Amino acid sequence: MRNLALAVLFVAAPPALAAGPEVVALGDSLTAGYGLSPGEGLVPQLQRWLDDHGAAATLVNAGVSGDTTAAALARVDWALTPGAKAMIVTLGGNDLLRGLPPEEARANLDAILTRAEGAKLPVLLVPMVAPGNYGPEYKAAFDAIYADLASAHGAILGEPLLQPILDQPDRQAALKDLMQPDGIHPNAKGVGLIVDVLGPEVVQLLGRVK
């Protein structure tokens, strides 16, 4: 009877979603899930979104808190495991927090995308947006990096990562309801809004996997 019950459960269970191609999410604390429980971060929420929408993929969390574009470049060869088939790049936030020169971030991101090209991996490049307190020249130079590099490398250009939160009609309420107390990292609810925008972009990325 026990074997029969197991057989019935096996037959009745819905087919599991295929593992799908391995997609490396290369980023900093916003990717790593800083301040959140293991299931609330960007990568696990995005994985659930893909599963729920029938998009077969296996996301690999290659986010490291505190990473600048230079630090991510130093470990990109390690992050791109032999099984990787695509890459999501979400970097630049710590360059902004430190006020590093935009030309350095541009060069580092250019090198990261060049490594992905060499490995024949399609890339989704997710921008960060510079605040205005560094001045208009800095902001213009930094914000231009992502579109320029996406065009140069044939990468998919995503929406700025935090834009779904910044687009909320009441900015102060959004900071309270969707961000952690540090005002830098989204909380689980804020990550959910980000994933609703990021998910379809990753589906587009999966369409480029060979």
Side-chain angles (χ1 to χ4, degrees):
M1 288 298 292
R2 176 177 176 273
N3 290 339
L4 178 60
L6 288 174
V8 170
L9 285 173
F10 179 79
V11 172
L17 187 65
E22 184 177 296
V23 180
V24 174
L26 183 71
D28 50 32
S29 57
L30 295 171
T31 300
Y34 175 87
L36 300 172
S37 68
E40 293 179 337
L42 181 69
V43 172
Q45 286 207 47
L46 181 57
Q47 182 71 70
R48 288 197 297 273
W49 189 98
L50 294 172
D51 293 345
D52 291 344
H53 288 79
T58 299
L59 300 183
V60 176
N61 191 341
V64 173
S65 294
D67 256 13
T68 60
T69 54
L73 173 59
R75 64 182 178 87
V76 67
D77 290 333
W78 168 82
L80 292 177
T81 59
K85 301 298 182 184
M87 183 166 65
I88 304 166
V89 177
T90 306
L91 289 162
N94 287 306
D95 296 65
L96 288 173
L97 288 174
R98 301 180 188 189
L100 299 178
E103 57 269 25
E104 292 183 9
R106 178 184 286 269
N108 294 328
L109 288 169
D110 188 21
I112 289 170
L113 294 183
T114 297
R115 302 284 178 87
E117 270 189 307
K120 295 181 169 46
L121 302 181
V123 174
L124 168 62
L125 182 60
V126 183
M128 297 299 297
V129 176
N133 58 301
Y134 291 129
E137 291 184 2
Y138 184 102
K139 179 173 175 56
F142 192 94
D143 291 353
I145 292 171
Y146 298 90
D148 289 350
L149 291 182
S151 177
H153 291 275
I156 297 170
L157 180 65
E159 288 292 317
L161 187 71
L162 298 177
Q163 201 62 46
I165 295 174
L166 298 176
D167 282 344
Q168 297 301 302
D170 187 334
R171 180 68 65 86
Q172 292 303 314
L175 289 174
K176 178 181 178 182
D177 297 338
L178 302 173
M179 299 292 290
Q180 296 181 43
D182 61 13
I184 297 172
H185 300 90
N187 60 24
K189 185 178 178 182
V191 170
L193 283 183
I194 292 169
V195 165
D196 285 340
V197 174
L198 187 60
E201 297 171 348
V202 176
V203 171
Q204 183 183 356
L205 176 68
L206 294 172
R208 294 191 179 188
V209 173
K210 295 180 181 179

